Amino acid sequence: MESPVPSNQKFEEKVTRYQETHAVLLILMDQEIIGFAYAYPFSPRRAYQHSANIAMYLLAEHDEWTLKNLLYQELES
């Protein structure tokens, strides 16, 4: 968890930068975003070029294992 929470602008810049090389996914329900996930570099070192971290965010009322599992599987592929 980031502390303090980044501004919307900083968060958008970060995700935009990561999507150039990694996956960014959204989960929609009834045309509303209920969660998202993205992969980002594990390390800038060349030895880790095939490794990545994953961040997932889901609204509390939709924080279910099934959705987390689907997001993870999609990011992995």
Side-chain angles (χ1 to χ4, degrees), residues 41-57:
F42 177 74
S43 171
R45 294 181 177 175
R46 185 175 165 96
Y48 298 104
Q49 66 183 334
H50 299 292
S51 299
N53 288 315
I54 293 175
M56 289 186 198
Y57 301 86

Side-chain angles (χ1 to χ4, degrees), residues 2-22:
E2 291 188 54
S3 182
V5 176
S7 69
N8 286 347
Q9 179 183 355
K10 289 203 180 283
F11 192 74
E12 184 178 339
E13 288 170 1
K14 179 171 40 173
V15 172
T16 299
R17 183 176 66 245
Y18 294 153
Q19 75 181 3
E20 292 174 4
T21 57
H22 293 75

Side-chain angles (χ1 to χ4, degrees), residues 29 58-70:
M29 182 177 284
L58 292 168
L59 292 176
E61 60 267 26
H62 299 288
D63 190 9
E64 304 167 13
W65 169 251
T66 304
L67 292 177
K68 290 177 184 176
N69 193 29
L70 287 171

Side-chain angles (χ1 to χ4, degrees), residues 26-39:
L26 298 175
I27 293 183
L28 301 172
M29 182 177 284
D30 298 326
Q31 302 300 317
E32 291 190 37
I33 297 172
I34 62 166
F36 64 96
Y38 61 91

